[in-house]
Amino acid sequence: MRRSLGDTLQALHPFRTGADPAEVSDSDLSGMAGPGALQVRPRSVELPGGVCASFTVAGYPREVSAGWLEPLLTYPGRLDVSLHVEPVPPLIAAQRLRKQLARLESSSRTNAQRGRLADFAAEAAADDAAELAASLARGHGRLFRVGLYLAVHAADDAELDGEVQRVRALAASLLLDAQPTTFRALQGWTTTLPLAHDSVKARQVFDTAALAAAFPFTSPDLQPRLGNTPVLYGLNAYSSGVVVWDRFAQDNYNSVTLARSGAGKSYFTKLETLRLLYQGVHVAVIDPEDEYRRLAGTVGGTHIPLGAPGVCFNPFDLPAGQGEDTLIRRALFLQTLIGVMLGEPLTPAARAVLDRAIIAAYQTCGITHDPRSWKRRAPVLADLVHELDRMGREGAAEAADLSARLAPYVTGSYRGLFAGPTTTRPGGHLVVFSLRDLPEETRTVGTLLALDAIWRQVTDPADRRRRLVVVDEAWTLMREAEGARFLYRLAKSARKHWAGLAVVTQDAADLLGSDLGQAVIANSATQILLRQAPQAIDRIGAAFDLTDGEKAFLLTADRGQGLLCGTTTGADRAAFSGIASPHEHRLTTTDPAELAALDEPATALAMEDDAR
């Protein structure tokens, strides 16, 4: 028979438009939905451009494992899989289970009394019913009425017959009894449409565990603990399942990402950073190559290009909410910072003189140990040198020596970073410290300032939240003593402050060949391995206990493909391929050709404005 598509859609109760249904004509609905007619047959529906046959799953295996629907989801032809779930109220579920259990036990006793052979299927069903009743009584699960429907599409009837045979054979291999919706082909087709309407209503009872295993995104390779901040890493490399991971639901929140140059480690890290921002996680980034600038600008983050002209970062700034010893801690840090500036540890006499000069510089600006004075303008490095000069004139030789050695940072070539008050304060949900513009001579000092600012945020008890500290190209930081100590301290104690450390590096020897690197790996519950160089694969395989197949995968992986090791023991692992939306790709790509293409419209617009 033939029906207009308008009649068909009008028969679907959940379908609604903005107008009154009585005022919407068939032609209006037909114009909105597509072509005007379809032909309904006993076992198939002829659609514009093809035919469709639908099936309902009437029988299921006794036990299922995680991802048991995956073979249907990965079927190479066009197969629509629809799962309709309706919860059963606990009171009704308990009553029905008791009745079912009574029937099954009564049947077993009757067979035994009359000398009949045991019905093993009924005994198994009785055991299952008893387990479900016990689980329901303890509150460990619930019951659901579930309908599983399949719709096979093909170009013509001949192709449809072959597709139907293959789908039914696949269902039979999964111990699923797929029955055609004979004389209900239209209802079967509409049930598989994304309309949330079950017109067939052929359902079976599932418990919570079986239904969870049927969820389409379940991956048989990885069963992570998920909390409130799950992040999509990508698609499973060997199935259609997705790899979702929540670092804040693991034993610790740290991660290590190892890959050769060009394998996509920074791309992947920026994707995770962006998706964690969606979850309300505060992120701070140490960016040696200024790769996070566009991301920070798009999401409204704070980008601090240390070393760039006009950018100042005053180390004398007092953090808010750090306790009564804030001034003392700041004075101690300044002593460490100046020791790094001078390139050698301070002698006890020089440290004592420097401590008096620092306190005097704060007092000159009206800042004392009284917390009410901490909101006043902080001194700068020039104020400290001024106090050292004054003490030198009073006879303190160490003060004069310190003043002379600090002159390049006040009036000389290195003054740019310390020339005045802080131009951009490190606040907001994303803070990026770019180190690309720092000269090699002041890179250690600038890095120490950035690390200190991040550590102050992490340990601030007045602003406790989920945080992630990303250290990209960590090998550049590990060459410096202060940077190495910061990584070690953060890897050990970040979890106590609800923070995680993400270490990203392209040189595996930096991590595997040092005590610091071993400590970072040992304290990282999330380990991500992207494509590796042949020269390093044996060492990485031994460190992460990789199989020969996993090593071969990492040697031949495409850009963006990698191996997620969920724990330090390697119990949970999944090979994945990272995916990004076009908008995410524009924010995270570092390909010079793509960046040039993205900058061309802005450059042309700027030239047009100049011409005007």
Side-chain angles (χ1 to χ4, degrees):
M1 64 178 179
R2 282 188 176 271
R3 300 178 60 181
S4 71
L5 193 56
D7 292 337
T8 302
L9 293 174
Q10 196 171 9
L12 302 182
H13 184 67
F15 183 81
R16 291 290 185 267
T17 65
D20 185 353
E23 300 176 358
V24 180
S25 65
D26 291 350
S27 59
D28 294 334
L29 288 172
S30 177
M32 290 188 302
L38 54 85
Q39 183 176 3
V40 180
R41 302 170 181 171
R43 292 196 175 188
S44 64
V45 177
E46 182 179 350
L47 305 170
V51 289
C52 168
S54 56
F55 297 86
T56 177
V57 176
Y60 297 85
R62 182 171 180 265
E63 295 182 356
V64 294
S65 58
W68 62 276
L69 277 181
E70 182 182 348
L72 292 176
L73 299 175
T74 57
Y75 181 73
R78 184 184 173 187
L79 176 64
D80 295 336
V81 181
S82 178
L83 194 68
H84 293 261
V85 180
E86 178 186 352
V88 179
L91 180 60
I92 297 178
Q95 293 174 351
R96 292 180 178 177
L97 277 175
R98 284 196 296 268
K99 291 180 180 179
Q100 182 68 9
L101 189 59
R103 292 193 195 100
L104 294 172
E105 291 183 352
S106 175
S107 176
S108 297
R109 292 175 182 176
T110 301
N111 291 337
Q113 292 174 356
R114 297 183 179 181
R116 298 174 182 172
L117 294 176
D119 187 348
F120 298 108
E123 292 181 0
D127 293 339
D128 293 342
E131 292 180 6
L132 285 176
S135 176
L136 196 65
R138 296 186 179 94
H140 294 168
R142 294 186 58 183
L143 295 186
F144 303 85
R145 298 180 67 238
V146 178
L148 178 59
Y149 307 99
L150 312 175
V152 185
H153 294 262
D156 51 41
D157 292 333
E159 182 182 347
L160 181 64
D161 291 339
E163 291 291 328
V164 165
Q165 295 299 324
R166 284 188 285 272
V167 170
R168 297 195 70 175
L170 176 60
S173 69
L174 301 175
L175 301 182
L176 299 176
D177 183 14
Q179 295 295 331
T181 55
T182 306
F183 294 110
R184 303 188 71 188
L186 177 63
Q187 288 81 357
W189 171 63
T190 56
T191 299
T192 60
L193 294 176
L195 300 175
H197 183 68
D198 186 357
S199 302
V200 179
K201 298 187 182 302
R203 302 178 183 178
Q204 299 287 338
V205 176
F206 278 45
D207 66 341
T208 303
L211 180 59
F215 191 67
F217 289 159
T218 300
S219 173
D221 304 318
L222 187 68
Q223 301 179 26
R225 290 177 293 177
L226 298 180
N228 298 323
T229 56
V231 172
L232 171 65
Y233 276 13
L235 297 178
N236 193 299
Y238 300 111
S239 70
S240 64
V242 297
V243 176
V244 179
W245 189 256
D246 186 356
R247 66 165 64 232
F248 290 97
Q250 311 310 315
D251 295 335
N252 61 69
Y253 317 140
N254 302 334
S255 69
V256 57
T257 303
L258 293 177
R260 63 183 295 179
S261 178
K265 58 185 180 303
S266 295
Y267 187 99
F268 168 80
T269 304
K270 282 182 280 188
L271 275 181
E272 184 185 16
T273 298
L274 181 60
R275 291 166 182 172
L276 282 174
L277 291 173
Y278 298 152
Q279 309 288 350
V281 177
H282 179 276
V283 182
V285 182
I286 299 293
D287 181 14
E289 300 297 335
D290 199 28
E291 296 181 343
Y292 291 74
R293 174 175 52 85
R294 288 186 299 114
L295 177 61
T298 303
V299 302
T302 302
H303 178 250
I304 305 177
L306 299 179
V311 176
C312 299
F313 201 83
N314 186 15
F316 287 81
D317 289 337
L318 292 175
Q322 292 289 318
E324 298 180 355
D325 59 347
T326 298
L327 183 59
I328 297 175
R329 289 181 176 274
R330 187 81 322 220
L332 294 174
F333 168 74
L334 287 170
Q335 295 176 30
T336 301
L337 177 67
I338 291 174
V340 173
M341 288 179 173
L342 301 181
E344 61 182 14
L346 297 175
T347 63
R351 187 175 291 274
V353 169
L354 182 60
D355 184 65
R356 293 199 305 270
I358 291 172
I359 298 300
Y362 276 111
Q363 291 177 346
T364 301
C365 295
I367 297 176
T368 64
H369 291 281
D370 185 354
R372 292 175 296 180
S373 66
W374 294 349
K375 295 182 180 181
R376 296 172 179 170
R377 183 192 66 84
V380 295
L381 190 60
D383 297 326
L384 174 63
V385 172
H386 176 75
E387 291 297 328
L388 289 172
D389 288 338
R390 181 184 60 79
M391 296 171 66
R393 289 192 296 270
E394 294 176 357
E398 292 84 358
D401 179 66
L402 288 173
S403 175
R405 298 176 66 182
L406 287 175
Y409 294 95
V410 178
T411 59
S413 303
Y414 306 155
R415 66 181 300 269
L417 193 59
F418 311 98
T422 300
T423 53
T424 304
R425 294 192 175 274
H429 53 282
L430 173 63
V431 181
V432 177
F433 291 92
S434 175
L435 310 181
R436 185 185 63 179
D437 296 325
L438 279 173
E440 195 65 31
E441 293 77 9
T442 59
R443 180 175 288 264
T444 302
V445 177
T447 302
L448 182 58
L449 287 176
L451 297 179
D452 172 70
I454 292 175
W455 182 252
R456 282 186 288 168
Q457 288 185 335
V458 169
T459 58
D460 184 2
D463 186 20
R464 192 59 58 87
R465 67 175 86 175
R466 289 187 180 91
R467 300 182 188 273
L468 178 66
V469 180
V470 178
V471 181
D472 206 344
E473 302 295 349
W475 61 272
T476 62
L477 203 61
M478 296 177 66
R479 297 180 305 177
E480 304 164 2
E482 290 299 329
R485 281 195 290 268
F486 171 81
L487 289 181
Y488 184 82
R489 177 174 58 178
L490 197 57
K492 289 284 189 178
S493 60
R495 186 180 182 277
K496 300 177 183 178
H497 302 286
W498 208 8
L501 170 66
V503 175
V504 185
T505 184
Q506 63 179 335
D507 193 348
D510 292 333
L511 290 181
L512 303 179
S514 65
D515 294 338
L516 167 64
Q518 294 292 343
V520 170
I521 293 176
N523 289 278
S524 297
T526 304
Q527 302 162 358
I528 300 154
L529 304 176
L530 303 180
R531 183 168 183 173
Q532 301 295 324
Q535 296 81 0
I537 192 63
D538 290 335
R539 195 169 185 177
I540 291 176
F544 293 91
D545 194 22
L546 302 180
T547 65
D548 291 339
E550 289 170 340
K551 290 192 288 187
F553 171 76
L554 293 178
L555 286 173
T556 59
D558 294 332
R559 181 179 297 180
Q561 288 187 334
L563 181 67
L564 168 63
C565 302
T567 64
T568 53
T569 60
D572 291 331
R573 293 185 175 179
F576 69 93
S577 178
I579 56 174
S581 67
H583 181 64
E584 289 176 325
H585 177 75
R586 286 192 296 271
L587 295 180
T588 55
T589 182
T590 56
D591 189 324
E594 293 186 3
L595 292 178
L598 291 174
D599 291 339
E600 282 180 1
T603 303
L605 183 59
M607 294 176 62
E608 184 178 342
D609 292 339
D610 293 340
R612 291 177 181 174

